[in-house]
mmCIF file with all atom_site columns, all heavy atoms in Angstrom:
data_model
loop_
_atom_site.group_PDB
_atom_site.id
_atom_site.type_symbol
_atom_site.label_atom_id
_atom_site.label_alt_id
_atom_site.label_comp_id
_atom_site.label_asym_id
_atom_site.label_entity_id
_atom_site.label_seq_id
_atom_site.pdbx_PDB_ins_code
_atom_site.Cartn_x
_atom_site.Cartn_y
_atom_site.Cartn_z
_atom_site.occupancy
_atom_site.B_iso_or_equiv
_atom_site.pdbx_formal_charge
_atom_site.auth_seq_id
_atom_site.auth_comp_id
_atom_site.auth_asym_id
_atom_site.auth_atom_id
_atom_site.pdbx_PDB_model_num
ATOM 1   N N   . ALA A 1 4  ? 128.233 80.970 158.908 1.00 0.00 ? 951 ALA A N   1
ATOM 2   C CA  . ALA A 1 4  ? 126.808 81.123 159.226 1.00 0.00 ? 951 ALA A CA  1
ATOM 3   C C   . ALA A 1 4  ? 126.632 81.177 160.734 1.00 0.00 ? 951 ALA A C   1
ATOM 4   O O   . ALA A 1 4  ? 127.371 80.528 161.484 1.00 0.00 ? 951 ALA A O   1
ATOM 5   C CB  . ALA A 1 4  ? 126.013 79.969 158.643 1.00 0.00 ? 951 ALA A CB  1
ATOM 6   N N   . SER A 1 5  ? 125.645 81.938 161.168 1.00 0.00 ? 952 SER A N   1
ATOM 7   C CA  . SER A 1 5  ? 125.344 82.039 162.591 1.00 0.00 ? 952 SER A CA  1
ATOM 8   C C   . SER A 1 5  ? 123.881 82.439 162.758 1.00 0.00 ? 952 SER A C   1
ATOM 9   O O   . SER A 1 5  ? 123.204 82.777 161.783 1.00 0.00 ? 952 SER A O   1
ATOM 10  C CB  . SER A 1 5  ? 126.257 83.067 163.270 1.00 0.00 ? 952 SER A CB  1
ATOM 11  O OG  . SER A 1 5  ? 126.037 84.354 162.728 1.00 0.00 ? 952 SER A OG  1
ATOM 12  N N   . GLY A 1 6  ? 123.421 82.395 164.000 1.00 0.00 ? 953 GLY A N   1
ATOM 13  C CA  . GLY A 1 6  ? 122.082 82.870 164.288 1.00 0.00 ? 953 GLY A CA  1
ATOM 14  C C   . GLY A 1 6  ? 121.054 81.783 164.502 1.00 0.00 ? 953 GLY A C   1
ATOM 15  O O   . GLY A 1 6  ? 119.892 82.073 164.777 1.00 0.00 ? 953 GLY A O   1
ATOM 16  N N   . GLY A 1 7  ? 121.461 80.531 164.363 1.00 0.00 ? 954 GLY A N   1
ATOM 17  C CA  . GLY A 1 7  ? 120.524 79.451 164.599 1.00 0.00 ? 954 GLY A CA  1
ATOM 18  C C   . GLY A 1 7  ? 120.139 79.358 166.062 1.00 0.00 ? 954 GLY A C   1
ATOM 19  O O   . GLY A 1 7  ? 120.715 80.021 166.920 1.00 0.00 ? 954 GLY A O   1
ATOM 20  N N   . GLY A 1 8  ? 119.159 78.526 166.350 1.00 0.00 ? 955 GLY A N   1
ATOM 21  C CA  . GLY A 1 8  ? 118.734 78.346 167.722 1.00 0.00 ? 955 GLY A CA  1
ATOM 22  C C   . GLY A 1 8  ? 117.443 77.567 167.807 1.00 0.00 ? 955 GLY A C   1
ATOM 23  O O   . GLY A 1 8  ? 117.007 76.945 166.822 1.00 0.00 ? 955 GLY A O   1
ATOM 24  N N   . LEU A 1 9  ? 116.836 77.622 168.978 1.00 0.00 ? 956 LEU A N   1
ATOM 25  C CA  . LEU A 1 9  ? 115.584 76.928 169.245 1.00 0.00 ? 956 LEU A CA  1
ATOM 26  C C   . LEU A 1 9  ? 114.449 77.940 169.240 1.00 0.00 ? 956 LEU A C   1
ATOM 27  O O   . LEU A 1 9  ? 114.533 78.982 169.906 1.00 0.00 ? 956 LEU A O   1
ATOM 28  C CB  . LEU A 1 9  ? 115.660 76.224 170.598 1.00 0.00 ? 956 LEU A CB  1
ATOM 29  C CG  . LEU A 1 9  ? 114.387 75.524 171.089 1.00 0.00 ? 956 LEU A CG  1
ATOM 30  C CD1 . LEU A 1 9  ? 114.015 74.379 170.153 1.00 0.00 ? 956 LEU A CD1 1
ATOM 31  C CD2 . LEU A 1 9  ? 114.583 75.020 172.515 1.00 0.00 ? 956 LEU A CD2 1
ATOM 32  N N   . VAL A 1 10 ? 113.399 77.651 168.502 1.00 0.00 ? 957 VAL A N   1
ATOM 33  C CA  . VAL A 1 10 ? 112.261 78.567 168.406 1.00 0.00 ? 957 VAL A CA  1
ATOM 34  C C   . VAL A 1 10 ? 110.979 77.752 168.373 1.00 0.00 ? 957 VAL A C   1
ATOM 35  O O   . VAL A 1 10 ? 110.971 76.615 167.888 1.00 0.00 ? 957 VAL A O   1
ATOM 36  C CB  . VAL A 1 10 ? 112.396 79.458 167.142 1.00 0.00 ? 957 VAL A CB  1
ATOM 37  C CG1 . VAL A 1 10 ? 112.386 78.625 165.876 1.00 0.00 ? 957 VAL A CG1 1
ATOM 38  C CG2 . VAL A 1 10 ? 111.331 80.536 167.110 1.00 0.00 ? 957 VAL A CG2 1
ATOM 39  N N   . GLN A 1 11 ? 109.917 78.325 168.886 1.00 0.00 ? 958 GLN A N   1
ATOM 40  C CA  . GLN A 1 11 ? 108.642 77.636 168.873 1.00 0.00 ? 958 GLN A CA  1
ATOM 41  C C   . GLN A 1 11 ? 107.988 77.734 167.495 1.00 0.00 ? 958 GLN A C   1
ATOM 42  O O   . GLN A 1 11 ? 108.230 78.690 166.741 1.00 0.00 ? 958 GLN A O   1
ATOM 43  C CB  . GLN A 1 11 ? 107.710 78.242 169.920 1.00 0.00 ? 958 GLN A CB  1
ATOM 44  C CG  . GLN A 1 11 ? 108.073 77.882 171.340 1.00 0.00 ? 958 GLN A CG  1
ATOM 45  C CD  . GLN A 1 11 ? 107.010 78.325 172.332 1.00 0.00 ? 958 GLN A CD  1
ATOM 46  O OE1 . GLN A 1 11 ? 106.284 79.272 172.084 1.00 0.00 ? 958 GLN A OE1 1
ATOM 47  N NE2 . GLN A 1 11 ? 106.927 77.637 173.452 1.00 0.00 ? 958 GLN A NE2 1
ATOM 48  N N   . ALA A 1 12 ? 107.172 76.759 167.191 1.00 0.00 ? 959 ALA A N   1
ATOM 49  C CA  . ALA A 1 12 ? 106.437 76.774 165.927 1.00 0.00 ? 959 ALA A CA  1
ATOM 50  C C   . ALA A 1 12 ? 105.639 78.068 165.808 1.00 0.00 ? 959 ALA A C   1
ATOM 51  O O   . ALA A 1 12 ? 105.024 78.521 166.784 1.00 0.00 ? 959 ALA A O   1
ATOM 52  C CB  . ALA A 1 12 ? 105.525 75.568 165.833 1.00 0.00 ? 959 ALA A CB  1
ATOM 53  N N   . GLY A 1 13 ? 105.675 78.649 164.631 1.00 0.00 ? 960 GLY A N   1
ATOM 54  C CA  . GLY A 1 13 ? 105.008 79.924 164.402 1.00 0.00 ? 960 GLY A CA  1
ATOM 55  C C   . GLY A 1 13 ? 105.905 81.118 164.635 1.00 0.00 ? 960 GLY A C   1
ATOM 56  O O   . GLY A 1 13 ? 105.539 82.253 164.284 1.00 0.00 ? 960 GLY A O   1
ATOM 57  N N   . GLY A 1 14 ? 107.066 80.879 165.212 1.00 0.00 ? 961 GLY A N   1
ATOM 58  C CA  . GLY A 1 14 ? 107.984 81.964 165.523 1.00 0.00 ? 961 GLY A CA  1
ATOM 59  C C   . GLY A 1 14 ? 108.887 82.323 164.354 1.00 0.00 ? 961 GLY A C   1
ATOM 60  O O   . GLY A 1 14 ? 108.749 81.802 163.244 1.00 0.00 ? 961 GLY A O   1
ATOM 61  N N   . SER A 1 15 ? 109.831 83.219 164.638 1.00 0.00 ? 962 SER A N   1
ATOM 62  C CA  . SER A 1 15 ? 110.739 83.731 163.614 1.00 0.00 ? 962 SER A CA  1
ATOM 63  C C   . SER A 1 15 ? 112.180 83.631 164.086 1.00 0.00 ? 962 SER A C   1
ATOM 64  O O   . SER A 1 15 ? 112.453 83.606 165.296 1.00 0.00 ? 962 SER A O   1
ATOM 65  C CB  . SER A 1 15 ? 110.417 85.196 163.298 1.00 0.00 ? 962 SER A CB  1
ATOM 66  O OG  . SER A 1 15 ? 109.103 85.336 162.798 1.00 0.00 ? 962 SER A OG  1
ATOM 67  N N   . LEU A 1 16 ? 113.064 83.616 163.122 1.00 0.00 ? 963 LEU A N   1
ATOM 68  C CA  . LEU A 1 16 ? 114.492 83.563 163.400 1.00 0.00 ? 963 LEU A CA  1
ATOM 69  C C   . LEU A 1 16 ? 115.204 84.149 162.200 1.00 0.00 ? 963 LEU A C   1
ATOM 70  O O   . LEU A 1 16 ? 114.722 84.009 161.062 1.00 0.00 ? 963 LEU A O   1
ATOM 71  C CB  . LEU A 1 16 ? 114.932 82.116 163.633 1.00 0.00 ? 963 LEU A CB  1
ATOM 72  C CG  . LEU A 1 16 ? 116.215 81.836 164.386 1.00 0.00 ? 963 LEU A CG  1
ATOM 73  C CD1 . LEU A 1 16 ? 116.127 82.357 165.826 1.00 0.00 ? 963 LEU A CD1 1
ATOM 74  C CD2 . LEU A 1 16 ? 116.483 80.334 164.402 1.00 0.00 ? 963 LEU A CD2 1
ATOM 75  N N   . ARG A 1 17 ? 116.327 84.793 162.440 1.00 0.00 ? 964 ARG A N   1
ATOM 76  C CA  . ARG A 1 17 ? 117.149 85.282 161.331 1.00 0.00 ? 964 ARG A CA  1
ATOM 77  C C   . ARG A 1 17 ? 118.548 84.701 161.450 1.00 0.00 ? 964 ARG A C   1
ATOM 78  O O   . ARG A 1 17 ? 119.194 84.833 162.484 1.00 0.00 ? 964 ARG A O   1
ATOM 79  C CB  . ARG A 1 17 ? 117.225 86.808 161.337 1.00 0.00 ? 964 ARG A CB  1
ATOM 80  C CG  . ARG A 1 17 ? 117.888 87.360 160.077 1.00 0.00 ? 964 ARG A CG  1
ATOM 81  C CD  . ARG A 1 17 ? 117.945 88.878 160.065 1.00 0.00 ? 964 ARG A CD  1
ATOM 82  N NE  . ARG A 1 17 ? 119.014 89.390 160.923 1.00 0.00 ? 964 ARG A NE  1
ATOM 83  C CZ  . ARG A 1 17 ? 119.481 90.629 160.868 1.00 0.00 ? 964 ARG A CZ  1
ATOM 84  N NH1 . ARG A 1 17 ? 118.977 91.486 159.991 1.00 0.00 ? 964 ARG A NH1 1
ATOM 85  N NH2 . ARG A 1 17 ? 120.438 91.027 161.694 1.00 0.00 ? 964 ARG A NH2 1
ATOM 86  N N   . VAL A 1 18 ? 118.989 84.076 160.389 1.00 0.00 ? 965 VAL A N   1
ATOM 87  C CA  . VAL A 1 18 ? 120.349 83.560 160.327 1.00 0.00 ? 965 VAL A CA  1
ATOM 88  C C   . VAL A 1 18 ? 121.178 84.464 159.415 1.00 0.00 ? 965 VAL A C   1
ATOM 89  O O   . VAL A 1 18 ? 120.644 85.094 158.502 1.00 0.00 ? 965 VAL A O   1
ATOM 90  C CB  . VAL A 1 18 ? 120.408 82.092 159.858 1.00 0.00 ? 965 VAL A CB  1
ATOM 91  C CG1 . VAL A 1 18 ? 119.837 81.176 160.920 1.00 0.00 ? 965 VAL A CG1 1
ATOM 92  C CG2 . VAL A 1 18 ? 119.659 81.904 158.535 1.00 0.00 ? 965 VAL A CG2 1
ATOM 93  N N   . SER A 1 19 ? 122.475 84.517 159.701 1.00 0.00 ? 966 SER A N   1
ATOM 94  C CA  . SER A 1 19 ? 123.380 85.399 158.970 1.00 0.00 ? 966 SER A CA  1
ATOM 95  C C   . SER A 1 19 ? 124.524 84.600 158.381 1.00 0.00 ? 966 SER A C   1
ATOM 96  O O   . SER A 1 19 ? 124.903 83.553 158.916 1.00 0.00 ? 966 SER A O   1
ATOM 97  C CB  . SER A 1 19 ? 123.952 86.459 159.910 1.00 0.00 ? 966 SER A CB  1
ATOM 98  O OG  . SER A 1 19 ? 122.937 87.173 160.564 1.00 0.00 ? 966 SER A OG  1
ATOM 99  N N   . CYS A 1 20 ? 125.073 85.130 157.326 1.00 0.00 ? 967 CYS A N   1
ATOM 100 C CA  . CYS A 1 20 ? 126.231 84.508 156.695 1.00 0.00 ? 967 CYS A CA  1
ATOM 101 C C   . CYS A 1 20 ? 127.217 85.619 156.338 1.00 0.00 ? 967 CYS A C   1
ATOM 102 O O   . CYS A 1 20 ? 126.916 86.470 155.501 1.00 0.00 ? 967 CYS A O   1
ATOM 103 C CB  . CYS A 1 20 ? 125.828 83.745 155.441 1.00 0.00 ? 967 CYS A CB  1
ATOM 104 S SG  . CYS A 1 20 ? 127.206 83.025 154.528 1.00 0.00 ? 967 CYS A SG  1
ATOM 105 N N   . VAL A 1 21 ? 128.370 85.595 156.987 1.00 0.00 ? 968 VAL A N   1
ATOM 106 C CA  . VAL A 1 21 ? 129.400 86.591 156.727 1.00 0.00 ? 968 VAL A CA  1
ATOM 107 C C   . VAL A 1 21 ? 130.431 85.997 155.774 1.00 0.00 ? 968 VAL A C   1
ATOM 108 O O   . VAL A 1 21 ? 130.951 84.902 156.010 1.00 0.00 ? 968 VAL A O   1
ATOM 109 C CB  . VAL A 1 21 ? 130.095 87.032 158.020 1.00 0.00 ? 968 VAL A CB  1
ATOM 110 C CG1 . VAL A 1 21 ? 131.173 88.058 157.723 1.00 0.00 ? 968 VAL A CG1 1
ATOM 111 C CG2 . VAL A 1 21 ? 129.070 87.606 158.992 1.00 0.00 ? 968 VAL A CG2 1
ATOM 112 N N   . ALA A 1 22 ? 130.707 86.724 154.700 1.00 0.00 ? 969 ALA A N   1
ATOM 113 C CA  . ALA A 1 22 ? 131.707 86.293 153.732 1.00 0.00 ? 969 ALA A CA  1
ATOM 114 C C   . ALA A 1 22 ? 132.998 87.054 153.986 1.00 0.00 ? 969 ALA A C   1
ATOM 115 O O   . ALA A 1 22 ? 132.987 88.270 154.175 1.00 0.00 ? 969 ALA A O   1
ATOM 116 C CB  . ALA A 1 22 ? 131.210 86.553 152.314 1.00 0.00 ? 969 ALA A CB  1
ATOM 117 N N   . SER A 1 23 ? 134.103 86.345 153.965 1.00 0.00 ? 970 SER A N   1
ATOM 118 C CA  . SER A 1 23 ? 135.406 86.991 154.107 1.00 0.00 ? 970 SER A CA  1
ATOM 119 C C   . SER A 1 23 ? 136.335 86.451 153.039 1.00 0.00 ? 970 SER A C   1
ATOM 120 O O   . SER A 1 23 ? 136.237 85.294 152.640 1.00 0.00 ? 970 SER A O   1
ATOM 121 C CB  . SER A 1 23 ? 135.987 86.745 155.506 1.00 0.00 ? 970 SER A CB  1
ATOM 122 O OG  . SER A 1 23 ? 136.129 85.363 155.747 1.00 0.00 ? 970 SER A OG  1
ATOM 123 N N   . GLY A 1 24 ? 137.202 87.309 152.571 1.00 0.00 ? 971 GLY A N   1
ATOM 124 C CA  . GLY A 1 24 ? 138.134 86.903 151.536 1.00 0.00 ? 971 GLY A CA  1
ATOM 125 C C   . GLY A 1 24 ? 137.621 87.109 150.121 1.00 0.00 ? 971 GLY A C   1
ATOM 126 O O   . GLY A 1 24 ? 138.363 86.905 149.157 1.00 0.00 ? 971 GLY A O   1
ATOM 127 N N   . PHE A 1 25 ? 136.379 87.509 149.979 1.00 0.00 ? 972 PHE A N   1
ATOM 128 C CA  . PHE A 1 25 ? 135.842 87.839 148.665 1.00 0.00 ? 972 PHE A CA  1
ATOM 129 C C   . PHE A 1 25 ? 134.662 88.778 148.865 1.00 0.00 ? 972 PHE A C   1
ATOM 130 O O   . PHE A 1 25 ? 134.109 88.875 149.953 1.00 0.00 ? 972 PHE A O   1
ATOM 131 C CB  . PHE A 1 25 ? 135.413 86.590 147.886 1.00 0.00 ? 972 PHE A CB  1
ATOM 132 C CG  . PHE A 1 25 ? 134.301 85.806 148.515 1.00 0.00 ? 972 PHE A CG  1
ATOM 133 C CD1 . PHE A 1 25 ? 132.976 86.020 148.144 1.00 0.00 ? 972 PHE A CD1 1
ATOM 134 C CD2 . PHE A 1 25 ? 134.571 84.843 149.475 1.00 0.00 ? 972 PHE A CD2 1
ATOM 135 C CE1 . PHE A 1 25 ? 131.955 85.288 148.707 1.00 0.00 ? 972 PHE A CE1 1
ATOM 136 C CE2 . PHE A 1 25 ? 133.546 84.107 150.054 1.00 0.00 ? 972 PHE A CE2 1
ATOM 137 C CZ  . PHE A 1 25 ? 132.237 84.332 149.676 1.00 0.00 ? 972 PHE A CZ  1
ATOM 138 N N   . THR A 1 26 ? 134.275 89.449 147.813 1.00 0.00 ? 973 THR A N   1
ATOM 139 C CA  . THR A 1 26 ? 133.162 90.398 147.904 1.00 0.00 ? 973 THR A CA  1
ATOM 140 C C   . THR A 1 26 ? 131.898 89.766 147.341 1.00 0.00 ? 973 THR A C   1
ATOM 141 O O   . THR A 1 26 ? 131.935 88.995 146.375 1.00 0.00 ? 973 THR A O   1
ATOM 142 C CB  . THR A 1 26 ? 133.459 91.688 147.142 1.00 0.00 ? 973 THR A CB  1
ATOM 143 O OG1 . THR A 1 26 ? 133.762 91.362 145.777 1.00 0.00 ? 973 THR A OG1 1
ATOM 144 C CG2 . THR A 1 26 ? 134.640 92.417 147.748 1.00 0.00 ? 973 THR A CG2 1
ATOM 145 N N   . LEU A 1 27 ? 130.780 90.124 147.952 1.00 0.00 ? 974 LEU A N   1
ATOM 146 C CA  . LEU A 1 27 ? 129.507 89.520 147.562 1.00 0.00 ? 974 LEU A CA  1
ATOM 147 C C   . LEU A 1 27 ? 129.163 89.788 146.102 1.00 0.00 ? 974 LEU A C   1
ATOM 148 O O   . LEU A 1 27 ? 128.497 88.965 145.465 1.00 0.00 ? 974 LEU A O   1
ATOM 149 C CB  . LEU A 1 27 ? 128.389 90.052 148.457 1.00 0.00 ? 974 LEU A CB  1
ATOM 150 C CG  . LEU A 1 27 ? 128.411 89.612 149.921 1.00 0.00 ? 974 LEU A CG  1
ATOM 151 C CD1 . LEU A 1 27 ? 127.229 90.226 150.652 1.00 0.00 ? 974 LEU A CD1 1
ATOM 152 C CD2 . LEU A 1 27 ? 128.391 88.108 150.026 1.00 0.00 ? 974 LEU A CD2 1
ATOM 153 N N   . GLU A 1 28 ? 129.614 90.911 145.574 1.00 0.00 ? 975 GLU A N   1
ATOM 154 C CA  . GLU A 1 28 ? 129.215 91.285 144.225 1.00 0.00 ? 975 GLU A CA  1
ATOM 155 C C   . GLU A 1 28 ? 129.668 90.269 143.179 1.00 0.00 ? 975 GLU A C   1
ATOM 156 O O   . GLU A 1 28 ? 129.092 90.193 142.099 1.00 0.00 ? 975 GLU A O   1
ATOM 157 C CB  . GLU A 1 28 ? 129.784 92.666 143.867 1.00 0.00 ? 975 GLU A CB  1
ATOM 158 C CG  . GLU A 1 28 ? 129.059 93.826 144.512 1.00 0.00 ? 975 GLU A CG  1
ATOM 159 C CD  . GLU A 1 28 ? 129.359 93.960 146.000 1.00 0.00 ? 975 GLU A CD  1
ATOM 160 O OE1 . GLU A 1 28 ? 130.348 93.370 146.466 1.00 0.00 ? 975 GLU A OE1 1
ATOM 161 O OE2 . GLU A 1 28 ? 128.583 94.659 146.692 1.00 0.00 ? 975 GLU A OE2 1
#
Side-chain angles (χ1 to χ4, degrees):
S952 63
L956 176 64
V957 62
Q958 287 189 333
S962 299
L963 201 63
R964 189 179 78 164
V965 290
S966 305
C967 176
V968 179
S970 59
F972 63 94
T973 57
L974 291 180
E975 284 74 17

